[in-house]
């Protein structure tokens, strides 16, 4: 590649891009860690995007109508850190650049949305960013339909690499984006033909151009180092009525000795090679030096959007007071004032009527109350709408001819659905939830983990929660999934026992601001166990005494979900034999763990024998509650699963695997001696 020709063709552009390249080399060398090649290779694309197209005010990184920029190839984090420092971002100072990847620095190895305001989403696991971006673009479409183009009119830009496009989640994302004609979504593909192991041809021969075209995208191919071609392609993409992919042919680690090699992907730290590359760029040789003129040009780019923001604020002020309040409330993740009373009314009705329904139906009943009050909720399912019970009558279907619709048919795309829902939440002003079978958390798991990491209150509705699935057999019967979800930090795992607990769980989920929720729901019908109406949200405590012992307390039965009714049945049998038994319902272990010690000891006092009951494996937190928080309880047992299930009617399965009232009574009596 003739760098001299590039430098002389457009020196002003070159010098701005060279500042990104030089800062990247210096930061990675100082850290002796990181990925230099992508930021160096995509510096030209990023410079044109930020200078000529991106609607962004560095002084207001959370402005609601900004364009969203997502670095799907998150390993190239020095690209976004360099851009933010050069533009004058208050958080990403030169000191932060110098401390790239160091303890306590905001400039983490991969971009993290909860550290830097201008970072839209946490990326690094390849493919996540492009899938998040689909949710961002869908959120923009929905909000534009509700509030009008004068208030919501922005694009979502993504830089994705070869690795992002190899990951399976990318096809899920590309497919739904093409189907929904998300014309505000623009993907800039860093087409450098290099992965860590070597050239792309080692492992893949996909024609990405044809792949995107086949999925309904507008596609262009350009030289990713030609600023005029980049500008023209982005301009054309913004006019397209489809999502756009611009294949930017680039050279990884441009101008460095490692250019166009797999070594160029990683940390380029050799001092002599670094010096030679900087000389080729015409950049200052001193570490972290940026010419004052170039820095000033970049700072002007950073505030270029200030006028747009001021104009937007004036237009926003013209909205009705009601719309302004609704918009601001949704972006603040605040629940409407009427929500609490509506949930209480539903609980009272259920306690009085005492229906016997599956908790997937209970969930639908709660959503029927919540959705009309919260226009920011967006429902959906991965091709299991009738099974997940996630669609309520008021939502309407989101589609190319109905952008006001609030229900998404995601198709068989659990991972893509979960990632796009995270994108909707991160966009702001939205509270998405989506459903599938609980065993398919395996397909959605990486995005569920990132929701927890990003402090994103997405709601994952997981039905068919145990061997209660019945005849579908062990492929569809989750036994280890509760443990996996509970092992994930910053995640609420709700397994409600009836409609009252389901309503309480939903109230918590749609008011959470930093924690995702997993709703674990039954296929089989369950009786109402909360027959006495309580105004307070008992599920908020995580666990509570559902039924007290009639005589001297000798046994505590701890159960979740469908097994709470079983515990009540076992209690009746034990009490009939004069054995005082307390039943504790534990719909959310994580919330119980957050309560003060006095409350936890009140619910689970020392002394009585303890039996845990759950149609799943014992792992994932059970021992803390069975053996005591200090391991002091010597007499405890668990009634549950220790293997995969089988294909048979649900009642027969519970009998076969010993998850019955009789087995629970036998365990308790055995412990009592």
């Amino acid at each position: 590649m003739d760098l001299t020709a590039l430098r002389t063709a457009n020196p002003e552009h070159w010098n701005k891009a060279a500042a990104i390249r030089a800062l990247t080399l210096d930061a990675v060398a100082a850290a002796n860690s990181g990925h230099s090649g992508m930021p160096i290779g995509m510096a030209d694309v990023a410079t044109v995007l930020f200078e000529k197209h991106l609607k962004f005010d560095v002084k207001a990184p959370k402005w609601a109508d900004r364009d969203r920029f997502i670095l799907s190839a998150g390993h190239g984090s020095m690209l976004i850190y360099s851009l933010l420092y050069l533009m004058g971002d208050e958080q990403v100072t030169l000191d932060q650049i110098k401390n790239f990847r160091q303890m306590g620095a905001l400039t983490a190895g991969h971009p993290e949305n909860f550290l830097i305001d201008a970072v839209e989403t946490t990326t690094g696991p390849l493919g996540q960013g492009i899938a998040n971006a689909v949710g961002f673009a869908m959120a923009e479409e929905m909000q534009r339909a509700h509030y009008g183009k004068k208030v919501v009119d922005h694009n979502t830009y993504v830089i994705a690499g070869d690795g992002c496009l190899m990951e399976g989640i990318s096809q899920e994302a590309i497919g739904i984006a093409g189907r929904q004609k998300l014309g505000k979504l623009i993907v800039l593909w860093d087409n450098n033909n290099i992965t860590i192991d070597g050239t792309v041809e080692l492992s893949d021969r996909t024609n990405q151009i044809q792949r995107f075209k086949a999925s309904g995208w507008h596609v262009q191919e350009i030289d990713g180092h030609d600023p005029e071609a980049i500008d023209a392609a982005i301009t054309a993409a913004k006019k397209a009525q489809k999502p756009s992919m611009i294949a930017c042919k680039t050279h990884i680690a441009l101008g460095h000795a490692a250019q166009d090699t797999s070594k160029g992907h990683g940390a380029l730290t050799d001092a002599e090679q670094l010096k030679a590359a900087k000389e080729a760029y015409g950049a200052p040789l001193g570490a972290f030096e940026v010419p004052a003129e170039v820095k000033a040009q970049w700072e002007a780019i950073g505030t270029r959007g200030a006028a747009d923001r001021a104009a937007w604020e004036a237009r926003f002020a013209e909205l009705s007071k009601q719309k302004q309040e609704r918009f601001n409330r949704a972006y603040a993740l605040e629940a409407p004032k009427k929500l609490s009373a509506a949930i209480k009314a539903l609980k009272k009705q259920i306690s009085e009527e005492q229906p016997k329904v599956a908790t997937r139906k209970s969930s639908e009943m709660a959503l029927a109350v919540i959705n009309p009050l919260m226009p920011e909720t967006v429902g959906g399912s991965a091709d299991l709408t009738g099974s997940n019970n996630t669609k309520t009558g008021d939502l309407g279907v989101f589609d190319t001819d109905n952008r006001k619709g609030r229900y998404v048919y995601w198709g068989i795309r659990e991972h893509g659905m979960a990632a796009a829902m995270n994108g909707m939440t991160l966009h702001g002003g939205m509270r998405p939830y989506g459903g599938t079978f609980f065993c398919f958390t395996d397909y959605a798991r990486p995005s569920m983990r990132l929701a927890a990491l990003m402090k994103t209150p997405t709601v994952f509705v997981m039905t068919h929660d145990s061997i209660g699935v019945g005849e579908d057999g062990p492929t569809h019967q989750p036994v280890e999934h509760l443990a996996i979800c509970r092992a994930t930090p910053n995640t609420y795992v709700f397994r409600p026992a009836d409609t009252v607990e389901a309503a309480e769980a939903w109230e918590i989920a749609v008011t959470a601001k930093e924690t995702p929720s997993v709703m674990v729901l039954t296929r089989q019908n369950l009786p109402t166990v909360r027959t006495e109406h309580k105004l307070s949200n008992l599920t908020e405590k995580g666990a509570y005494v559902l039924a007290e012992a009639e005589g001297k307390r000798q046994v505590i039965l701890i159960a979740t979900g469908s097994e709470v009714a079983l515990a009540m049945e076992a209690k009746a049998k034990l009490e009939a034999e004069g054995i005082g038994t307390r039943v504790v319902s534990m719909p959310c272990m994580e919330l119980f763990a957050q309560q003060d010690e006095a409350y936890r000891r009140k619910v689970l006092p020392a002394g009585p024998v303890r039996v845990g009951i759950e149609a799943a494996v014992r792992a994932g937190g059970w021992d803390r509650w069975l053996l005591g928080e200090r391991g002091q309880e010597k007499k405890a047992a668990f009634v549950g699963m220790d293997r995969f299930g089988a294909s048979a009617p649900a009642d027969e399965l519970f009998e076969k695997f010993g998850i019955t009232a009789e087995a629970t009574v036998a365990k308790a009596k055995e412990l009592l001696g």
Side-chain angles (χ1 to χ4, degrees):
M1 193 77 181
D2 186 354
L3 264 62
T4 302
L6 291 175
R7 287 173 59 183
T8 56
N10 191 331
E12 186 175 306
H13 162 84
W14 177 267
N15 289 335
K16 288 195 285 285
I20 296 172
R21 294 177 170 120
L23 285 171
T24 294
L25 285 170
D26 289 335
V28 172
N32 196 32
S33 170
H35 299 81
S36 312
M38 192 283 280
I40 293 173
M42 286 295 279
D44 293 305
V45 172
T47 298
V48 173
L49 174 63
F50 275 74
E51 180 178 12
K52 298 183 180 297
H53 296 278
L54 197 76
K55 185 171 65 172
F56 175 78
D57 183 358
V58 75
K59 300 300 181 185
K62 290 297 186 184
W63 164 36
D65 199 39
R66 68 194 180 278
D67 285 343
R68 271 60 169 181
F69 171 68
I70 295 170
L71 190 65
S72 189
H75 56 275
S77 56
M78 269 309 302
L79 179 67
I80 194 168
Y81 299 151
S82 296
L83 287 162
L84 291 174
Y85 161 65
L86 289 166
M87 290 190 299
D89 184 276
E90 293 179 359
Q91 290 180 298
V92 185
T93 62
L94 184 58
D95 187 58
Q96 291 290 340
I97 296 291
K98 290 178 178 179
N99 285 282
F100 175 55
R101 287 181 162 238
Q102 303 309 299
M103 179 66 74
L106 301 179
T107 46
H110 294 84
E112 296 178 3
N113 67 296
F114 49 89
L115 294 181
I116 298 173
D117 290 343
V119 171
E120 301 287 359
T121 181
T122 297
T123 54
L126 295 176
Q128 281 289 329
I130 190 172
N132 290 162
V134 172
F136 276 84
M138 292 174 79
E140 192 274 345
E141 294 279 1
M142 292 175 184
Q143 290 185 11
R144 180 153 38 89
H146 281 281
Y147 295 101
K149 190 174 181 179
K150 289 184 178 180
V151 176
V152 181
D153 185 21
H154 53 264
N155 295 301
T156 299
Y157 294 96
V158 184
I159 285 181
D162 292 304
C164 292
L165 301 191
M166 282 192 202
E167 289 285 0
I169 189 176
S170 71
Q171 185 55 42
E172 296 186 27
I174 292 165
I176 193 69
R179 165 61 182 81
Q180 291 292 350
K181 297 183 180 178
L182 301 178
K184 294 281 196 175
L185 174 61
I186 300 172
V187 173
L188 301 150
W189 170 34
D190 179 17
N191 179 17
N192 61 40
N193 198 43
I194 294 293
T195 66
I196 291 175
D197 281 349
T199 62
V200 168
E201 285 78 11
L202 281 173
S203 57
D204 193 35
R205 60 176 296 173
T206 302
N207 184 323
Q208 298 291 353
I209 303 300
Q210 293 302 319
R211 176 190 177 207
F212 275 81
K213 285 181 178 179
S215 298
W217 285 57
H218 174 262
V219 180
Q220 303 172 78
E221 296 181 74
I222 62 168
D223 177 351
H225 300 300
D226 180 345
E228 292 184 1
I230 298 164
D231 184 21
I234 296 174
T235 299
K238 291 192 316 190
K239 295 177 182 177
Q241 301 301 305
K242 302 176 180 179
S244 287
M245 190 273 268
I246 303 172
C248 306
K249 188 59 185 173
T250 60
H251 295 272
I252 198 167
L254 178 74
H256 191 278
Q259 177 181 314
D260 298 329
T261 70
S262 59
K263 180 176 173 54
H265 172 89
L268 304 178
T269 58
D270 181 273
E272 290 304 314
Q273 292 179 353
L274 186 152
K275 179 182 177 183
K278 280 192 169 187
E279 287 177 342
Y281 301 152
L285 297 182
F288 302 104
E289 289 185 14
V290 178
E293 180 183 3
V294 174
K295 184 70 164 71
Q297 290 171 344
W298 268 114
E299 289 179 357
I301 292 169
T303 56
R304 182 174 53 80
D308 285 333
R309 178 170 62 88
W312 177 85
E313 289 171 348
R315 294 194 301 272
F316 183 78
E318 295 173 358
L319 284 179
S320 68
K321 183 179 179 182
Q322 182 183 26
K323 279 195 171 183
Q324 287 185 49
E325 289 177 350
R326 190 177 83 185
F327 187 96
N328 290 330
R329 179 188 60 74
Y331 268 81
L333 291 174
E334 298 288 349
K337 294 177 181 178
K338 294 180 179 180
L339 178 65
S340 178
I343 294 294
K344 287 182 175 68
L346 175 61
K347 287 166 53 179
K348 186 173 188 296
Q349 175 190 341
I350 296 302
S351 293
E352 291 172 352
E353 296 178 0
Q354 299 180 22
K356 185 175 183 179
V357 296
T359 52
R360 60 174 173 162
K361 179 63 177 178
S362 302
S363 171
E364 181 184 13
M365 294 162 72
L367 287 169
V369 168
I370 292 166
N371 284 337
L373 296 176
M374 299 184 73
E376 64 269 32
T377 59
V378 178
S381 170
D383 201 52
L384 291 166
T385 295
S387 296
N388 298 149
N389 295 73
T390 43
K391 187 175 186 289
T392 57
D394 61 308
L395 291 179
V397 176
F398 176 78
D399 208 337
T400 53
D401 60 353
N402 182 23
R403 295 311 204 192
K404 287 187 177 181
R406 293 163 53 202
Y407 192 82
V408 181
Y409 288 114
W410 292 103
I412 303 94
R413 298 183 177 99
E414 293 88 357
H415 196 182
M417 174 183 74
M421 288 196 302
N422 286 344
M424 286 184 183
T425 312
L426 290 163
H427 174 279
M430 313 297 286
R431 280 196 179 269
Y433 65 87
T436 187
F437 288 172
F438 191 34
C439 61
F440 299 146
T441 53
D442 292 337
Y443 290 147
R445 166 75 186 150
S447 294
M448 295 171 71
R449 177 180 184 268
L450 279 171
L453 175 64
M454 294 190 291
K455 304 178 182 178
T456 300
T458 309
V459 183
F460 304 98
V461 180
M462 300 298 177
T463 68
H464 296 57
D465 72 341
S466 71
I467 57 172
V469 171
E471 291 86 347
D472 277 344
T475 59
H476 284 54
Q477 293 167 4
V479 294
E480 74 274 33
H481 299 72
L482 276 166
I484 293 169
C485 290
R486 287 171 179 156
T488 306
N490 189 40
T491 300
Y492 294 147
V493 183
F494 294 103
R495 191 164 185 253
D498 63 6
T499 305
V500 175
E501 284 192 357
E504 291 180 339
W506 268 109
E507 183 179 20
I508 297 163
V510 298
T511 55
K513 292 188 175 183
E514 294 190 339
T515 304
S517 297
V518 183
M519 297 289 179
V520 183
L521 309 169
T522 68
R523 177 195 185 193
Q524 72 273 28
N525 291 339
L526 304 179
T528 298
V529 294
R530 285 276 292 279
T531 55
E532 182 183 351
H533 176 56
K534 299 284 187 181
L535 288 174
S536 57
N537 186 324
L538 299 184
T539 299
E540 202 166 38
K541 294 289 190 180
Y544 60 93
V545 178
L546 176 64
E548 188 52 281
E550 295 172 14
K552 179 184 176 183
R553 188 190 311 123
Q554 299 180 64
V555 176
I556 299 177
L557 302 179
I558 312 166
T560 78
S562 50
E563 286 65 68
V564 174
L566 187 153
M568 292 294 287
E569 186 181 343
K571 168 186 165 61
K573 294 178 180 296
L574 287 164
E575 296 280 2
E577 297 186 37
I579 301 171
T581 303
R582 167 184 284 189
V583 173
V584 171
S585 179
M586 189 175 282
C588 183
M589 288 186 179
E590 297 76 28
L591 284 171
F592 187 53
Q594 291 176 14
Q595 306 308 308
D596 60 48
E597 185 178 6
Y599 177 78
R600 298 198 306 269
R601 293 179 71 174
K602 182 179 178 182
V603 173
L604 296 177
V609 302
R610 301 181 183 187
V611 180
I613 319 165
E614 186 172 70
V617 298
R618 178 168 173 167
W622 269 107
D623 281 0
R624 178 178 180 182
W625 313 122
L626 291 176
L627 303 179
E629 298 190 53
R630 298 177 182 83
Q632 76 274 19
E633 301 300 324
K634 304 303 181 186
K635 293 187 175 183
F638 183 74
V639 174
M641 298 292 292
D642 60 3
R643 72 199 86 167
F644 292 113
S647 180
D651 291 346
E652 294 180 25
L653 290 170
F654 278 96
E655 187 73 33
K656 172 180 172 59
F657 292 107
I659 306 174
T660 63
E662 291 75 16
T664 302
V665 168
K667 288 275 189 184
K669 292 170 71 173
E670 181 182 339
L671 292 171
L672 289 170

